[in-house]
Amino acid sequence: MGAFVRAPWLQRVLATAGALVLLCLWVVSNDPAHGGAPPHIYVTDAANNRIIRMDDITGAGWTTFGTIGPGVNQFSFPKGLFVDPAGHIYATDANNARIVRIDDMTGKNWTTLGGPVPGGGANQFYSPTGIVADSAGKIYVTDEGNNRVVRMDDMTGRGWTALGAAGSGPNQFRSPTGIAIDAAGKIYVADAGNARIVRIDDITGAGWTTFGSRGHEKNQFKYPVAIVVESTGKIDVIDGGDNRLIRIDDMTGKGWTVFGSSDADTKGNRFGNPFGLAIDSAGPIYVADTRNNRLVRMENIAGSGWTTLGTIGPGVKQFVGPQSVFLR
């Protein structure tokens, strides 16, 4: 089993209800087209052990699902989130070492794979983080603690195929987190511990291409955690360790554009260890601003129309360590 690598700042804790809650965090989300209708917003509210759905950034239609535990309709730090075109909801239940699929926000047809004990074999996970399904319904998971990416045909684990081991070379990862698939079926991974993003043609690792090195300057990341590939081919990355959103035209880094500051803050247009990202096909950007316990919406990467929702807590329009955001 690969070592589960955590950056030092991941050891920070949140104080809530008189207790300290460890942030074992995060994920990626990829925005689908939504036929012109405003999409619902889905969020994994990790430390509250629930999934949230709302109609818009005002919190209208606020609906929650989940409580803490290892059983049916329960989570322990849900991180990754994906909603398919039929409305099925997929989540990585990190501390229960499993993935979950439900038909809707009632929990209908609750189905799991993996857990409750972490493992490194077939149909096993160790802190699964990102999750996405392709157009054929195949499911891809970043198995963060095992330093690998896994693909399976369905929730039975049929066709289980894994790529990766701990390291910084080809076909190796260190704490892979976010995952996305483009229109051509290429797989993109936020290889957080290696401070880079990776693109491969398929689960065999063919076409292995990397971009990034560790740092704060152009073409560098501190701890990239979420990745989205737009329909135009532009790549958007949340650099959670540096509190910023980065957009590039392609894997060469062309068009490098940054929003955010390495100084985490709640004032102005700043993030505090953001982890989740979704981009509406109409243009607006949504960020799970984790340490600030809020969801942020902006019209573009310049930060225009900056709007936030959330305070720390377990109630309505509250979050504790929101991880992923997804639009459907």
Side-chain angles (χ1 to χ4, degrees):
M1 184 183 298
F4 185 15
V5 180
R6 279 200 185 100
W9 50 270
L10 283 182
Q11 308 305 321
R12 292 172 179 163
V13 293
L14 291 175
T16 177
L20 290 176
V21 184
L22 178 64
L23 288 181
C24 300
L25 305 169
W26 56 75
V27 341
V28 64
S29 68
N30 206 349
D31 172 58
H34 46 79
H40 287 107
I41 305 167
Y42 295 79
V43 179
T44 45
D45 188 14
N48 280 322
N49 303 290
R50 63 186 183 180
I51 295 172
I52 296 166
R53 188 189 67 193
M54 65 194 90
D55 296 341
D56 54 43
I57 194 64
T58 70
W62 179 276
T63 305
T64 67
F65 172 77
T67 59
I68 187 169
V72 175
N73 299 350
Q74 294 184 318
F75 301 102
S76 182
F77 271 81
K79 295 182 180 180
L81 184 64
F82 176 80
V83 185
D84 70 19
H88 300 121
I89 302 165
Y90 297 77
T92 55
D93 189 11
N95 287 359
N96 283 323
R98 65 186 181 182
I99 63 172
V100 175
R101 189 192 67 193
I102 52 179
D103 286 358
D104 53 39
M105 288 292 290
T106 69
K108 181 181 177 182
N109 289 326
W110 172 275
T111 305
T112 66
L113 176 70
V117 178
N123 298 351
Q124 293 182 316
F125 303 100
Y126 179 21
S127 193
T129 301
I131 190 166
V132 68
D134 66 17
S135 58
K138 294 182 186 295
I139 304 164
Y140 297 75
V141 178
T142 47
D143 189 11
E144 185 180 356
N146 285 318
N147 299 293
R148 64 185 182 180
V149 175
V150 176
R151 187 193 71 189
M152 65 209 80
D153 293 345
D154 52 40
M155 286 293 293
T156 68
R158 183 171 60 92
W160 177 278
T161 307
L163 173 74
S168 57
N171 298 348
Q172 294 181 323
F173 304 99
R174 290 194 187 278
S175 295
T177 51
I179 187 166
I181 300 175
D182 70 13
K186 295 182 186 294
I187 304 163
Y188 296 73
V189 178
D191 189 13
N194 282 320
R196 67 186 181 184
I197 61 173
V198 175
R199 185 189 68 196
I200 50 180
D201 293 345
D202 54 45
I203 197 66
T204 68
W208 177 275
T209 305
T210 67
F211 172 76
S213 61
R214 191 174 306 281
H216 303 274
E217 306 302 323
K218 184 177 181 181
N219 299 347
Q220 294 184 319
F221 304 102
K222 184 174 181 181
Y223 210 78
V225 294
I227 189 165
V228 168
V229 183
E230 300 182 45
S231 59
T232 60
K234 292 183 185 295
I235 304 164
D236 299 274
V237 180
I238 288 288
D239 188 3
D242 226 8
N243 305 299
R244 60 185 185 171
L245 167 63
I246 295 161
R247 175 174 290 166
I248 53 178
D249 292 347
D250 53 41
M251 288 291 289
T252 69
K254 179 183 176 183
W256 175 275
T257 305
V258 176
F259 176 82
S261 168
S262 59
D263 298 323
D265 201 345
T266 59
K267 298 177 182 178
N269 296 3
R270 293 186 179 183
F271 303 114
N273 300 135
F275 298 127
L277 174 65
I279 300 180
D280 191 339
S281 57
I285 300 166
Y286 294 78
V287 175
D289 190 13
T290 303
R291 190 153 67 90
N292 289 323
N293 300 292
R294 65 185 182 183
L295 182 65
V296 175
R297 181 187 185 274
M298 4 182 237
E299 294 296 331
N300 50 47
I301 200 164
S304 301
W306 174 277
T307 307
T308 66
L309 173 73
T311 58
I312 188 169
V316 176
K317 302 183 184 180
Q318 292 185 315
F319 306 99
V320 182
Q323 299 297 287
S324 297
V325 57
F326 196 90
L327 307 176
R328 178 67 75 184

